[in-house]
Amino acid sequence: MTSVESAPESQPKHYPIFNLLHSWGSHQNPKTGVEYSTEALRAARWAVDVGLAPRLIIGALCHNVGHLLLLAGEYSESYQDMGEYRPYLIAGSWLENVIGLSKEVADPVRMLLPSLRYQAYAKIGYEQNMLTENERKILADIGGPMSKGEARQLRSHAQHEDGLQLLACVLASKTYTTKEDWGVAEALAAAGMPL
């Protein structure tokens, strides 16, 4: 048993989220130079402040847990051929299969990069006007804007709109400021999952 896989029996099932962000969240995202926990808290706070559903608040808080799980040495053999998609697939799998959250939470996290490709397809000027240089590089690395057929397929997914909302949340929160006394426990409580 690893410290990020399961909670002590006396703890709620989502305790590993808290543990993972506290244990590994101080590492910096090499693409942004910002600590993973700061990115997670900014995204969750933005989701709360704009009134997103609790499932998207949890998704925002956990959007980068796949990166943290890889840092922790978990899932080292999983999704190795998936490139940039890998951490988001790992995060979705972990949220659903280890934490026990629904697909309504896990799938929008899995869909973050497809949602980025969809927005680049669907919105004229999105890539040039809405994305940072780093985000444009990620978009290029994952295949650029979707094709019409790919976009149709994404729109057929039950969580398609939630994926787009979560992407908007994560992108908008990049420079968002959280309250000083607001942390992982407060984010979980805002989503109806108090420790």
Side-chain angles (χ1 to χ4, degrees):
M1 175 173 81
T2 67
S3 62
V4 296
E5 282 192 20
S6 40
E9 287 195 31
S10 63
Q11 296 294 330
K13 70 178 180 179
H14 53 276
Y15 178 79
I17 298 169
F18 183 85
N19 188 31
L20 183 65
L21 286 167
H22 276 284
S23 298
W24 295 93
S26 62
H27 286 80
Q28 286 190 346
N29 181 335
K31 294 184 176 165
T32 65
V34 177
E35 289 183 359
Y36 285 110
S37 60
T38 299
E39 290 180 338
L41 290 171
R42 284 177 180 169
R45 186 68 213 190
W46 191 89
V48 168
D49 288 351
V50 300
L52 293 183
R55 68 185 180 276
L56 293 174
I57 296 169
I58 290 296
L61 180 67
C62 297
H63 78 275
N64 59 17
V65 298
H67 297 281
L68 301 181
L69 288 163
L70 288 167
L71 285 169
E74 302 289 327
Y75 293 88
S76 61
E77 301 298 318
S78 301
Y79 305 106
Q80 288 191 349
D81 60 342
M82 297 305 294
E84 293 282 344
Y85 290 89
R86 183 177 187 216
Y88 303 102
L89 296 172
I90 288 171
S93 177
W94 186 75
L95 290 168
E96 188 174 354
N97 300 316
V98 175
I99 304 303
L101 299 176
S102 71
K103 284 186 175 292
E104 290 180 336
V105 174
D107 280 355
V109 174
R110 288 182 181 112
M111 295 171 66
L112 275 172
L113 295 184
S115 295
L116 177 64
R117 292 188 64 220
Y118 177 85
Q119 291 292 56
Y121 160 80
K123 293 185 176 181
I124 296 172
Y126 182 81
E127 186 175 348
Q128 294 74 26
N129 300 324
M130 300 299 290
L131 300 179
T132 65
E133 182 179 333
N134 184 52
E135 292 160 350
R136 285 191 294 274
K137 182 183 179 323
I138 291 170
L139 178 62
D141 289 347
I142 62 173
M146 285 187 163
S147 68
K148 187 176 184 178
E150 289 172 319
R152 188 179 321 110
Q153 183 178 2
L154 184 72
R155 284 192 305 268
S156 72
H157 192 286
Q159 299 305 119
H160 150 252
E161 288 295 328
D162 282 352
L164 294 174
Q165 282 189 307
L166 186 57
L167 173 69
C169 170
V170 169
L171 294 177
S173 69
K174 295 288 184 192
T175 57
Y176 205 64
T177 304
T178 62
K179 296 177 182 176
E180 221 172 283
D181 61 344
W182 207 80
V184 177
E186 290 77 16
L188 288 168
M193 300 175 77
L195 287 175

